[in-house]
Amino acid sequence: MAFNVSQIKTALAKGGARPTLFKVSSLDTDGKTERTYHVRSAQLPGTNVGVLTTNWRGRPVKFPGVRTYDPWTVTMLNDDGEHRSNIFLWMKRLAGGNDGERTSLVGEYDTSDYKDITVTQMGKNGKDVYKYKLVKCFPVAMGDIGLDWGTEGFQEYTVTWRYDYFEAYDLNSTVQTSHTVG
């Protein structure tokens, strides 16, 4: 098939999605207030389907296997340190104290230690277009912050998250359905 510019222009009549129009949020500890994080960069979540191979009459036959979800890493801007401190304390609650001790305050399994985090794509008009909800997220790694007298700009650090699965919502659809990928 020949390359046709007019087909691409027709397909992208509204100009296509912009990588800078997004927000990352979750519900605060009260379960009602939406907290938007200061995120410089993120990705829409990824997923994979494993392949199960079996031999039949001397030939390999492939079948879809188990769905897995990629770790999700975001680059956050450091505010006054509140978000970073909250994530640090969250990780401590999950893994226990520095000495490995687990008490009712740190290291004990608690379902409230898992949050749903939402990544929302926005249109050029600023309205929410598509929403991805990462279900039962928890932080597994928090990167360092470089300090340097010669560097201008904001401090930033990475946080890597794991989650059970994600759900995708088309906010422009007249019939609101979620495409659960789980």
Side-chain angles (χ1 to χ4, degrees):
M1 183 171 151
F3 179 74
N4 188 332
V5 174
S6 63
Q7 285 179 336
I8 293 173
K9 284 184 173 182
T10 303
L12 297 174
K14 295 182 181 180
R18 300 292 195 255
T20 56
L21 298 175
F22 72 96
K23 64 181 176 183
V24 176
S25 60
S26 70
L27 291 180
D28 214 343
T29 53
D30 65 5
K32 298 175 185 172
T33 308
E34 183 181 46
R35 174 183 282 234
T36 301
Y37 295 101
H38 305 140
V39 174
R40 185 180 64 81
S41 67
Q43 313 81 35
L44 298 177
T47 184
N48 305 291
V49 174
V51 177
L52 303 172
T53 305
T54 187
N55 288 323
W56 188 73
R57 296 187 179 178
R59 294 186 181 261
V61 180
K62 295 174 179 67
F63 297 97
V66 176
R67 181 182 300 273
T68 59
Y69 300 91
D70 298 334
W72 185 62
T73 301
V74 298
T75 301
M76 300 184 77
L77 296 174
N78 198 23
D79 52 6
D80 57 0
E82 178 187 1
H83 286 306
R84 185 174 171 85
S85 177
N86 287 340
I87 292 169
F88 177 78
L89 293 173
W90 186 356
M91 293 175 76
K92 184 176 181 178
R93 276 195 318 272
L94 289 168
N98 292 337
D99 58 0
E101 181 181 358
R102 294 178 179 271
T103 67
S104 60
L105 298 176
V106 293
E108 183 175 77
Y109 177 77
D110 185 355
T111 56
S112 67
D113 286 334
Y114 304 90
K115 281 186 166 185
D116 296 347
I117 295 181
T118 303
V119 183
T120 306
Q121 283 182 283
M122 297 183 296
K124 290 185 285 187
N125 59 3
K127 293 185 180 179
D128 296 350
V129 176
Y130 216 83
K131 188 174 281 195
Y132 294 84
K133 182 168 87 171
L134 287 70
V135 178
K136 294 186 180 175
C137 288
F138 59 97
V140 295
M142 183 169 56
D144 58 358
I145 294 179
L147 304 174
D148 182 355
W149 281 77
T151 302
E152 299 261 345
F154 295 105
Q155 294 176 343
E156 52 186 57
Y157 59 98
T158 59
V159 179
T160 301
W161 306 82
R162 293 305 303 222
Y163 54 97
D164 284 353
Y165 60 94
F166 68 83
E167 297 172 347
Y169 301 92
D170 182 353
L171 303 176
N172 285 328
S173 176
T174 55
V175 177
Q176 201 51 251
T177 60
S178 79
H179 307 285
T180 300
V181 185

